[in-house]
Amino acid sequence: MQTRTTPAGRTGRPRSAAADAAILAATRAALVELGWSRLTLGDVATRAGVAKTTLYRRWAGKNELVVDAVAELFDELRLPDRGSLAADIEGAVLQFAAILSRPEAKSGLMAVVAESTRDAALRERIRASIVDRQKRLVLEGRARAQARGELPPENDPEEAARTVDLIFDVVAGAVVHRTLVSAEPADEEWVRGFTRLLLRGLVDASAQEAQKALEA
Amino acid sequence: MQTRTTPAGRTGRPRSAAADAAILAATRAALVELGWSRLTLGDVATRAGVAKTTLYRRWAGKNELVVDAVAELFDELRLPDRGSLAADIEGAVLQFAAILSRPEAKSGLMAVVAESTRDAALRERIRASIVDRQKRLVLEGRARAQARGELPPENDPEEAARTVDLIFDVVAGAVVHRTLVSAEPADEEWVRGFTRLLLRGLVDASAQEAQKALEA
Amino acid sequence: MQTRTTPAGRTGRPRSAAADAAILAATRAALVELGWSRLTLGDVATRAGVAKTTLYRRWAGKNELVVDAVAELFDELRLPDRGSLAADIEGAVLQFAAILSRPEAKSGLMAVVAESTRDAALRERIRASIVDRQKRLVLEGRARAQARGELPPENDPEEAARTVDLIFDVVAGAVVHRTLVSAEPADEEWVRGFTRLLLRGLVDASAQEAQKALEA
Amino acid sequence: MQTRTTPAGRTGRPRSAAADAAILAATRAALVELGWSRLTLGDVATRAGVAKTTLYRRWAGKNELVVDAVAELFDELRLPDRGSLAADIEGAVLQFAAILSRPEAKSGLMAVVAESTRDAALRERIRASIVDRQKRLVLEGRARAQARGELPPENDPEEAARTVDLIFDVVAGAVVHRTLVSAEPADEEWVRGFTRLLLRGLVDASAQEAQKALEA
DNA sequence: GCATAAGCGAGACGGTACGTCGTGTCTTCCT
DNA sequence: AGGAAGACACGACGTACCGTCTCGCTTATGC
């Protein structure tokens, strides 16, 4: 990821750029086959056709390596304009769910989060590489909804930032929990229900549901 | 947890009941001091004043042991009637957040969830010991809100079950994400904001916020 | 070798006696095949069908292990009575040379001696396991020669001890140097010449030699 | 040592002569501080202010380097005429012992000899750089003794060469064994005893000793 | 005087072995 | 039979050196 590519000095043999990519790809492959806990750095090095030392020269350990390997997965998230806030949310959540359903993300993400509870540097790396990077989606979605008139413009920038964080926690948290803890697919149906809840709230959702049931 | 208390046969020395409790307590202590990844079964055995063999006779491994040790933490969750759905939710979420802020829960919970992505039996154990056990809170809260007339009675039991699951994913997921990933405290202020979003939805919340800002 | 067999405590699984023998034999085999510097403890463990940890539990490292492995070789030295001091010496030196010509001794012995120059404990171990153990041959030979009247009885015990040490240094040193440094075989002819020098001295030997040459 | 100084070709930058000396000195310093087994070529290069590549361009490896570094030590051996064969021997042996007592010689010499048991080229290098170089002392001493009439002139040149080898093995071997294996100083007293044994032989020495003891 | 060619410092590279630690099983003796 | 003690086979850890390589220089010779 960031500035791991050759440090200060200019002399000496430069670091192989290809090695970085090979290592991250090998890490994801190993996550798929073995999962987090059975993944070993020796094995990753072998898969990447690289010496263990090369790997340790660039990453401090398994945690840092996996964060970088997983972070790349989330960079493919896009937010195409689907015409309405609800549709935009559904689209983003589905994409997020699709990534989380991939075994390399499943295995790796929660593991590094768990590790990060005791390692502030790791926590910061996760935040920088993954969390903050993807908050852009929330910001973009809100701006678009405001342009459409679906949401009012924010007046208090601090409050607005808090809301972005809250929404991110709710969305990411719900999808992760659904996918990893409940271990059920976050499919279109579930995403529709979740989006309705997020937009309209529990009271309204319950009322609608009761209404529907009555009609049927 | 479940059927570890002395098996079928009646001959021979019976298993020490005290050992179980000591082992689980030692596990939690080790989680606090060392975190998941540095916790070792040998160390837990030593702390509990027990031989490693005894430990392995009762649990299959680290994962199962930690699930049981952490599950006990969540059994202290209660849902006192605070007079309104909003207040009930706030109370429950705060309690949940308080437990999750304890290092033994933080360290252990996400780690076993991560492990469970590749181990169906472990996933089942987590669901049985932790998730399903605590869904009672959602059920209880809904029943109470319905009695108060804050929520309509459900008509379709299947749809109702789906809603319980959804709410649980949203609540648990949001708190976990806030606490572990964003690494910010789920304090009273945050819980109020979250509860409002949960009850009223994003559109309403945004409108209210805009309104407040205007008035000020 | 000495008291490595199960330490103080009496509880727990006892150390495998077979493992010791297997490890020492494997060490000698590895010395023959690979020599000192390419011998690795991991390889020895594998050859012995033993885990590396077992090996480290019993020996502090390569040096100590090799000392013990080599020491066993010298225990087969015997001093049969061949009727005269000269013949006894020749017999002992030939046996010593035979052992030193075996590759496991060649490779290992000088290496541990070299290491011992910076490790007093190792030096002591060599002295106890090898050197002092074999000084018995010098003592036995002298006693026998005195009984035969070939050597006078010693009067000053301290001086006598010094002489034993000196003879051992000369004999062992000469054979080692001939075998390892000059890299020539210490065969019967060489041993005869050496024994004559040892018994009669340089002046006498030179005179005899000149005499022989004159006669021829 | 020998043909390391710039090879065939004449074009290109010539090898730095200073580097050679710096490397050998650094090697001896490292031998003193670390001993043979902990000496690393990387460290030697650093000490000498030289790149590892430079070192490998000139020596094949640790063994060859150390042989050269140690060989230089022995070149300071001299054989001043002390008036008698006994005095000449004592002088030479004391000088030899003095060199062997220096840690760089102690650590390095036996180690390369040990290595040479499995490496004919190294053995040859040792012989050429060290052993044969110092045999001059024996030759010189004998010639001087013959001139003085202490030893008869040799008649059979082959036999004479064998005797030189034998004496060298006995002298060098005894001093090395005394110094490194017995780990006792080869001081004046010991050298006197050794010289007497070498010149007069065991029988005569024992008789003298018995005689002395009787007188006392 | 400018190309050619080797030497050189720096440091990354693919390897191999290290010595330690954790796992889950086993063996022995003691309740 | 249960249990504490601890040895055991296994396999990963993260580190240290090895000997080689690839850089961007510098320092000679020879056309």
Side-chain angles (χ1 to χ4, degrees):
Chain A
M1 226 25 23
Q2 48 270 35
T3 24
R4 271 176 300 87
T5 38
T6 321
R10 67 218 36 66
T11 71
R13 178 172 172 175
R15 289 193 177 164
S16 156
D20 262 73
I23 292 170
L24 290 175
T27 303
R28 283 187 290 267
L31 278 174
V32 172
E33 277 181 41
L34 307 167
W36 159 266
S37 59
R38 296 220 291 268
L39 177 151
T40 71
L41 294 198
D43 178 58
V44 168
T46 305
R47 284 169 191 259
V50 140
K52 238 191 329 170
T53 31
T54 298
L55 212 152
Y56 278 105
R57 205 174 288 121
R58 302 176 187 209
W59 284 275
K62 191 165 155 172
N63 294 332
E64 288 75 12
L65 175 61
V66 170
V67 170
D68 286 4
V70 169
E72 288 190 346
L73 294 175
F74 289 94
D75 285 340
E76 50 185 69
L77 281 175
R78 294 290 173 275
L79 191 67
D81 190 334
R82 300 178 156 218
S84 74
L85 178 54
D88 280 4
I89 294 178
E90 287 180 12
V93 171
L94 274 171
Q95 280 185 65
F96 186 49
I99 291 173
L100 261 191
S101 72
R102 288 161 66 175
E104 60 270 43
K106 258 211 201 59
S107 286
L109 189 59
M110 280 303 97
V112 294
V113 167
E115 291 293 293
S116 79
T117 59
R118 306 195 48 94
D119 179 345
L122 183 61
R123 205 155 51 228
E124 200 39 55
R125 191 185 195 103
I126 293 174
R127 194 207 302 273
S129 304
I130 307 185
V131 179
D132 285 353
R133 249 172 134 74
Q134 307 312 332
K135 273 195 182 150
R136 61 185 166 91
L137 298 172
V138 180
L139 292 167
E140 206 176 328
R142 180 172 64 180
R144 212 177 275 165
Q146 288 170 332
R148 286 194 205 100
E150 292 173 297
L151 290 177
E154 65 258 21
N155 296 93
D156 179 353
E158 211 171 285
E159 177 69 24
R162 258 202 296 281
T163 305
V164 168
D165 289 349
L166 175 61
I167 291 169
F168 195 78
D169 283 334
V170 171
V171 173
V175 176
V176 167
H177 202 273
R178 169 76 176 179
T179 308
L180 302 187
V181 184
S182 299
E184 304 278 355
D187 54 18
E188 288 204 29
E189 189 191 346
W190 183 85
V191 171
R192 253 198 309 277
F194 169 69
T195 304
R196 192 171 53 215
L197 179 64
L198 181 63
L199 287 176
R200 301 285 157 195
L202 188 54
V203 179
D204 194 68
S206 291
Q208 277 188 303
E209 187 188 308
Q211 186 70 24
K212 265 199 317 189
L214 265 182
E215 285 165 4
Chain B
M1 259 319 82
Q2 48 267 37
T3 23
R4 270 174 299 89
T5 38
T6 320
R10 65 212 56 67
T11 68
R13 177 170 169 180
R15 289 191 178 164
S16 158
D20 264 72
I23 292 170
L24 290 174
T27 303
R28 282 187 292 267
L31 278 175
V32 171
E33 278 181 41
L34 308 167
W36 158 266
S37 59
R38 296 220 292 265
L39 176 152
T40 70
L41 294 198
D43 177 57
V44 168
T46 306
R47 283 168 192 260
V50 138
K52 252 198 311 177
T53 355
T54 301
L55 212 153
Y56 276 106
R57 207 173 286 121
R58 302 178 187 204
W59 284 276
K62 190 164 154 172
N63 293 332
E64 289 73 12
L65 176 61
V66 170
V67 170
D68 286 4
V70 170
E72 288 189 347
L73 295 175
F74 289 95
D75 285 340
E76 49 185 69
L77 281 175
R78 293 290 173 271
L79 191 66
D81 190 334
R82 299 174 156 221
S84 74
L85 177 53
D88 280 5
I89 293 177
E90 286 180 12
V93 169
L94 274 171
Q95 280 187 65
F96 185 50
I99 291 173
L100 259 192
S101 73
R102 289 161 63 175
E104 60 269 44
K106 258 215 209 37
S107 285
L109 189 59
M110 280 303 97
V112 293
V113 167
E115 291 292 293
S116 79
T117 60
R118 308 197 45 97
D119 179 346
L122 182 61
R123 204 155 51 230
E124 201 39 57
R125 191 183 194 105
I126 293 174
R127 195 206 302 275
S129 302
I130 306 184
V131 181
D132 286 352
R133 251 172 132 78
Q134 306 311 334
K135 275 198 180 148
R136 61 185 166 88
L137 298 172
V138 180
L139 293 167
E140 206 177 327
R142 179 170 67 180
R144 214 178 273 165
Q146 288 170 332
R148 288 195 204 98
E150 292 173 296
L151 290 177
E154 66 260 21
N155 297 91
D156 178 355
E158 210 171 286
E159 178 68 24
R162 257 200 297 279
T163 305
V164 169
D165 289 350
L166 175 61
I167 292 169
F168 196 77
D169 283 334
V170 171
V171 174
V175 176
V176 167
H177 202 274
R178 169 80 177 175
T179 309
L180 303 187
V181 183
S182 299
E184 306 277 355
D187 55 18
E188 286 204 30
E189 189 192 344
W190 183 86
V191 170
R192 252 198 310 276
F194 169 68
T195 304
R196 190 171 56 216
L197 178 64
L198 181 63
L199 288 176
R200 299 289 159 194
L202 188 54
V203 178
D204 194 68
S206 291
Q208 277 189 301
E209 187 188 310
Q211 186 70 24
K212 267 198 311 189
L214 265 182
E215 284 163 6
Chain C
M1 231 16 28
Q2 49 270 33
T3 20
R4 271 176 299 86
T5 37
T6 320
R10 68 224 27 73
T11 72
R13 177 173 172 175
R15 290 194 177 162
S16 157
D20 263 72
I23 291 170
L24 291 174
T27 302
R28 282 186 292 266
L31 277 174
V32 172
E33 278 181 41
L34 307 168
W36 158 266
S37 59
R38 295 221 294 268
L39 176 153
T40 72
L41 294 197
D43 177 58
V44 168
T46 305
R47 285 168 191 261
V50 140
K52 240 191 326 171
T53 31
T54 297
L55 213 152
Y56 278 105
R57 205 175 288 120
R58 303 176 186 208
W59 284 276
K62 191 164 153 173
N63 293 332
E64 289 73 12
L65 175 61
V66 170
V67 170
D68 286 4
V70 169
E72 288 189 347
L73 294 175
F74 289 95
D75 285 339
E76 50 186 69
L77 281 175
R78 294 289 173 272
L79 191 66
D81 190 334
R82 300 176 155 220
S84 74
L85 176 54
D88 280 3
I89 292 177
E90 287 181 13
V93 169
L94 274 172
Q95 279 185 66
F96 186 49
I99 291 173
L100 259 191
S101 73
R102 287 160 66 174
E104 60 269 43
K106 257 212 205 50
S107 285
L109 189 59
M110 280 303 99
V112 293
V113 167
E115 292 292 294
S116 79
T117 59
R118 309 199 40 99
D119 179 345
L122 183 61
R123 203 153 52 228
E124 200 38 56
R125 190 184 196 105
I126 293 174
R127 195 206 302 274
S129 303
I130 306 184
V131 180
D132 286 352
R133 249 175 135 74
Q134 306 312 333
K135 275 198 180 146
R136 59 183 169 88
L137 298 172
V138 180
L139 293 167
E140 207 178 325
R142 180 172 64 180
R144 213 177 275 165
Q146 289 170 332
R148 286 195 205 99
E150 294 174 293
L151 291 178
E154 65 257 24
N155 297 90
D156 178 354
E158 210 170 285
E159 177 70 22
R162 256 200 298 279
T163 304
V164 168
D165 288 350
L166 175 61
I167 291 169
F168 196 77
D169 282 334
V170 171
V171 173
V175 175
V176 167
H177 203 273
R178 168 80 176 175
T179 309
L180 303 187
V181 183
S182 299
E184 306 277 356
D187 53 19
E188 287 206 29
E189 189 191 345
W190 183 87
V191 171
R192 252 197 312 276
F194 170 68
T195 303
R196 191 173 52 214
L197 178 64
L198 180 63
L199 287 176
R200 300 287 159 197
L202 189 53
V203 177
D204 194 68
S206 290
Q208 276 188 301
E209 188 187 309
Q211 185 70 24
K212 264 199 316 185
L214 266 181
E215 286 166 2
Chain D
M1 254 336 67
Q2 48 270 37
T3 21
R4 270 175 299 87
T5 39
T6 322
R10 67 215 51 70
T11 72
R13 176 172 172 177
R15 289 191 179 163
S16 156
D20 264 74
I23 291 170
L24 290 174
T27 303
R28 283 187 290 267
L31 278 174
V32 173
E33 277 182 41
L34 307 167
W36 158 266
S37 60
R38 296 220 292 266
L39 176 152
T40 71
L41 294 199
D43 177 57
V44 168
T46 305
R47 284 169 191 260
V50 137
K52 251 198 311 174
T53 14
T54 299
L55 212 152
Y56 277 106
R57 207 173 287 122
R58 303 177 187 207
W59 284 276
K62 189 166 156 172
N63 293 332
E64 289 74 13
L65 176 61
V66 171
V67 171
D68 286 4
V70 170
E72 289 189 346
L73 295 175
F74 288 96
D75 285 339
E76 50 184 71
L77 280 174
R78 294 288 173 273
L79 192 65
D81 190 333
R82 300 177 155 219
S84 74
L85 177 55
D88 281 4
I89 293 179
E90 286 180 13
V93 170
L94 274 172
Q95 280 186 66
F96 186 49
I99 291 173
L100 259 192
S101 72
R102 288 161 65 175
E104 60 269 44
K106 257 210 200 56
S107 285
L109 188 60
M110 280 302 98
V112 294
V113 167
E115 291 292 295
S116 79
T117 60
R118 305 194 50 91
D119 179 345
L122 183 61
R123 202 154 52 229
E124 200 39 57
R125 190 185 196 102
I126 293 173
R127 194 206 303 273
S129 304
I130 307 183
V131 180
D132 285 352
R133 254 172 128 76
Q134 307 311 333
K135 273 194 181 151
R136 61 184 167 90
L137 298 172
V138 180
L139 292 167
E140 207 177 326
R142 181 172 64 182
R144 213 177 274 165
Q146 287 170 336
R148 288 193 204 99
E150 292 175 295
L151 289 178
E154 63 259 23
N155 297 90
D156 178 354
E158 210 171 286
E159 178 68 24
R162 258 201 296 280
T163 305
V164 169
D165 288 349
L166 175 60
I167 292 169
F168 196 76
D169 283 333
V170 171
V171 173
V175 175
V176 166
H177 202 273
R178 170 76 176 176
T179 309
L180 303 187
V181 183
S182 298
E184 305 278 355
D187 53 18
E188 288 205 29
E189 188 191 347
W190 182 87
V191 170
R192 253 198 310 277
F194 169 67
T195 303
R196 191 172 54 217
L197 179 63
L198 180 62
L199 287 176
R200 302 283 159 198
L202 188 52
V203 178
D204 193 68
S206 291
Q208 278 188 299
E209 185 188 313
Q211 187 68 25
K212 265 198 316 188
L214 265 181
E215 286 163 5

